[in-house]
Amino acid sequence: MEADKLQKYCGISRNIEESSVNIHPIQRGGVLTSEAKKVLLSFGDGYSMCDYCFEASITKVKKPPVVDFIQDLAKFLDIDEVRPTAGARHAKRVIMEAIAEPGDTVVIDSLAHYTTYISCEAAKLNVKEVPHSGYPEFVLNVEDYATKIEEVEDSTGKLPVLVVLTHVDYNYGNLSDAKRVAEIAHKYGIPFLLNGAYTIGIMPVSGRDLGADFIVASGHKSMSASAPIGLLGATSEWAERVFERSKIKGDWSGRTFGAKEYHILGCPPVFGPSLATLMASFPKVVERIKHWDEELEKACYFSDNMQKIEGIKQLGKKPKEHTLIHFESPSFHEIAQHHKRKGFFLYDALKKKKIMGVHPGLSKSFKVNVFNLSWEQIKYVVESFQEIAELYGITVH
Amino acid sequence: MEADKLQKYCGISRNIEESSVNIHPIQRGGVLTSEAKKVLLSFGDGYSMCDYCFEASITKVKKPPVVDFIQDLAKFLDIDEVRPTAGARHAKRVIMEAIAEPGDTVVIDSLAHYTTYISCEAAKLNVKEVPHSGYPEFVLNVEDYATKIEEVEDSTGKLPVLVVLTHVDYNYGNLSDAKRVAEIAHKYGIPFLLNGAYTIGIMPVSGRDLGADFIVASGHKSMSASAPIGLLGATSEWAERVFERSKIKGDWSGRTFGAKEYHILGCPPVFGPSLATLMASFPKVVERIKHWDEELEKACYFSDNMQKIEGIKQLGKKPKEHTLIHFESPSFHEIAQHHKRKGFFLYDALKKKKIMGVHPGLSKSFKVNVFNLSWEQIKYVVESFQEIAELYGITVH
């Protein structure tokens, strides 16, 4: 390898947060707090949380107070036991591996993130989807969980091993009734996994109130933490299974690893910026979910005013119950057909106004997330979209 | 949760690298380069590498140039295909899941890291250990791989599915002859996994020269990256299996995810500081392995001079072939018996001299890593140990 060609890797940089209003659909909840930024440098090194590890587990470290933090995370999720993982997807994978056998079936919502599907695939499980209502609202009929559970039993002779609900989905930002899904799952004696990647750290969620047996959360998606870090929460009933301690024994050496929880591969290797930023952001995260009402007010304002642009229509449930918003925009798409930059015209026009996060090239439909933007920013973004529309001769009502 | 009790999480701090000479056995190779520290802040956010993702894969991102970087990592490991993972442990787990069936057997070295064992356990595989020579050198007899492979075949009627060697082990820092293990494995037609967590990024390693079918590496252990990030390398022969694309299909929606490699759960969620620091440190990492001879010279100097202290004996192979060094220290242990701080006296004494990394409380034996310390630092640490010994009446020859 030629040394001079490698130098470009040192020069990577990014200043989107500092220079723009970022409305990227998957980024808003992961933007670091100022407190998190402060700890980034001091905990940047690989094993920087492990200086005082006395019990062979990052979750037991007292300095910094990880051991207390893990307890507080459990209180925050309102579930008995919590472990950090390398992301929500790893948490889902662990649950499936721990409680299912190859060939078993998992009932999932058809709005689920792709990682729910491929976690099942990796664990050699079949999926049975609960349908949604389709265009334009894409609403999950949670009562269908019962139907689907019974269909699985009828066709395989065995109940599904797990019921999964994506609390808020990644595509339309629809909030589903988790409590009702839990009731249905429990009626059949099936454990219920709530995927809170888009809700935990953003809005109030109580595992206990909702009846979740498992919760997964994402630090980098919704808890203002550096990637990758997720959370796996379990009730005490299930914790023994998913956090089962290692029993393997070296046949020659006799070595054993009884302190290690083997499904999560022992210490989740989050012992640098991931865990440090999750901790440092936590007090603000605990505080911010109390103001969810105002976030929704801003989301509704944003959606309503975007829809004053001719042809712009919000997809998903109305009024908004989450800050992730999907719009279809045939009027923008019409412009793109005749523009020399095609669909990129929208990205270009927004960039000129220092608004980043709409996927470059998209004009037919696009997603944004307005979480944690100020009213001033919300208004600025809406007005900018309206100005761009007018510039291209689209009526704004 | 009471807000005032949470404030402690914002106040976590660490300044070991700045204020001390750090000789922590697992930390030296993960200490960030100055280039990595520079990118930490700008890529601190959750999805900061994903601003310009057009192909639903972090490995295809062109800005910053991840797509080129992945190619360069493959050249660096000298293997056909490489993917980032959430750590070496996840890479091992993925390989085992992808190529083995529950009940299969894996032949591993008895010096392997615990994550090798529990990766097997998670995949429901049996382990067969290759013995080591025991005290004081703990040398693996690599020829025993053949014996163990045959023992597995004799007792189970089936050859092992995988042969694993820990290139340099975590306990004694012994380097084993990977090329010979590869030859043995291949004689039986078994793929060979080289665990380079302690070698790749530290010393020159060529997957091709050593005959590795799979390589795992650790960014936070040996490539000056923030945790967690690892690498999974595979030859083209095996890449299709471990990086197999998703085939699962939603039974109602018909959704498919053909761009996603399901064993690694799609995009490895390393899209923040982990990948950014791995990239920024890479040019220096490529350079530093060229100076491995001098690192070994320093390690030998360190070991020789430590052993001038009465009772101190280096364990593992001599002369050192790695910078991780394990000492037994009965003379220090003797002091600890009568000291009011017990074994902590050694940690205290070193701390007073601004030397960190010896496990607090240990005096009977301890591990250090002197990788990337300057000669001045090496000499300072040795002299400090000698001074501490003399202070407690231990002869220094």
Side-chain angles (χ1 to χ4, degrees), chain B residues 204-218:
Chain B
V205 179
S206 159
R208 211 167 306 268
D209 289 351
L210 298 178
D213 298 282
F214 301 107
I215 294 184
V216 305
S218 170

Side-chain angles (χ1 to χ4, degrees), chain A residues 140-152:
Chain A
L140 209 66
N141 181 4
V142 296
E143 298 304 324
D144 285 342
Y145 271 93
T147 325
K148 293 298 163 181
I149 289 168
E150 293 188 1
E151 278 179 28
V152 171

Side-chain angles (χ1 to χ4, degrees), chain B residues 19 42 44 48 135 167 335:
Chain B
S19 66
S42 51
S48 48
Y135 181 88
H167 201 185
I335 303 298

Side-chain angles (χ1 to χ4, degrees), chain B residues 206-277:
Chain B
S206 159
R208 211 167 306 268
D209 289 351
L210 298 178
D213 298 282
F214 301 107
I215 294 184
V216 305
S218 170
H220 47 273
K221 197 158 258 158
S222 298
M223 301 178 78
S224 290
S226 293
I229 190 162
L231 298 176
L232 195 178
T235 59
S236 46
E237 187 189 348
W238 291 97
E240 268 184 52
R241 284 277 280 281
V242 288
F243 305 134
E244 190 180 351
R245 296 203 175 207
S246 173
K247 292 190 187 69
I248 199 168
K249 189 174 176 178
D251 67 299
W252 174 80
S253 67
R255 292 174 71 191
T256 55
F257 316 93
K260 306 294 186 183
E261 295 165 346
Y262 70 93
H263 289 300
I264 58 170
L265 300 180
C267 272
V270 294
F271 17 64
S274 297
L275 185 53
T277 54

Side-chain angles (χ1 to χ4, degrees), chain A residues 84-132:
Chain A
T85 64
R89 64 193 70 195
H90 287 95
K92 285 187 278 191
R93 176 70 185 85
V94 160
I95 294 163
M96 288 168 189
E97 169 184 300
I99 73 165
E101 293 294 331
D104 284 344
T105 303
V106 178
V107 175
I108 67 174
D109 57 296
S110 53
L111 297 170
H113 193 252
Y114 82 86
T115 53
T116 300
Y117 289 84
I118 66 174
S119 292
C120 290
E121 189 171 14
K124 300 191 173 77
L125 308 177
N126 302 307
V127 296
K128 184 83 176 174
E129 293 173 308
V130 173
H132 57 67

Side-chain angles (χ1 to χ4, degrees), chain A residues 1 6-10 12-14 16-17 24 26-27 30-32 35 37 39-48 50-54 64-65 68-69 72 75-76 86 89-90 93 97 110-112 114-115 117-122 124-125 127-129 131-132 170 220-221 225-228 246-255 257 260 262 265-267 269-274 276 279-280 282-283 286 347 356 359-360, chain B residues 1 6-10 12-14 16-17 24 26-27 30-32 35 37 39-48 50-54 64-65 68-69 72 75-76 86 89-90 93 97 110-112 114-115 117-122 124-125 127-129 131-132 170 220-221 225-228 246-255 257 260 262 265-267 269-274 276 279-280 282-283 286 347 356 359-360:
Chain A
M1 276 175 288
L6 302 180
Q7 289 311 313
K8 65 180 174 186
Y9 300 130
C10 304
I12 60 173
S13 69
R14 179 182 192 256
I16 285 183
E17 271 321 306
H24 198 292
I26 63 173
Q27 291 185 6
V31 173
L32 296 188
E35 289 79 3
K37 283 181 190 163
V39 304
L40 255 185
L41 263 177
S42 51
F43 290 96
D45 284 1
Y47 285 87
S48 48
C50 309
D51 294 328
Y52 305 99
C53 176
F54 294 108
D68 298 342
F69 182 57
D72 280 330
K75 281 185 210 162
F76 184 65
R89 64 193 70 195
H90 287 95
R93 176 70 185 85
E97 169 184 300
S110 53
L111 297 170
Y114 82 86
T115 53
Y117 289 84
I118 66 174
S119 292
C120 290
E121 189 171 14
K124 300 191 173 77
L125 308 177
V127 296
K128 184 83 176 174
E129 293 173 308
H132 57 67
Y170 74 101
H220 47 272
K221 196 157 258 158
S226 293
S246 173
K247 292 189 188 70
I248 200 167
K249 190 174 175 178
D251 67 298
W252 173 81
S253 67
R255 291 174 71 191
F257 315 93
K260 305 295 185 182
Y262 71 92
L265 300 180
C267 273
V270 294
F271 17 64
S274 298
M279 285 176 79
F282 188 61
V286 169
Y347 170 78
M356 294 293 281
H359 196 80
Chain B
M1 275 176 290
L6 302 180
Q7 289 311 313
K8 66 179 173 186
Y9 300 131
C10 304
I12 61 173
S13 69
R14 179 183 193 254
I16 284 184
E17 270 324 304
H24 198 293
I26 63 172
Q27 292 184 7
V31 173
L32 295 188
E35 289 78 5
K37 282 181 190 164
V39 303
L40 256 185
L41 263 177
S42 51
F43 290 95
D45 283 3
Y47 285 89
S48 48
C50 308
D51 293 328
Y52 304 100
C53 175
F54 294 108
D68 298 341
F69 182 57
D72 280 332
K75 281 185 210 162
F76 184 66
R89 65 192 69 196
H90 287 93
R93 176 72 186 83
E97 170 185 299
S110 53
L111 297 170
Y114 82 87
T115 54
Y117 290 83
I118 66 175
S119 292
C120 291
E121 188 171 15
K124 299 191 175 76
L125 308 177
V127 296
K128 184 81 177 177
E129 294 172 307
H132 57 68
Y170 75 102
H220 47 273
K221 197 158 258 158
S226 293
S246 173
K247 292 190 187 69
I248 199 168
K249 189 174 176 178
D251 67 299
W252 174 80
S253 67
R255 292 174 71 191
F257 316 93
K260 306 294 186 183
Y262 70 93
L265 300 180
C267 272
V270 294
F271 17 64
S274 297
M279 283 176 80
F282 187 61
V286 169
Y347 170 78
M356 294 294 280
H359 197 79

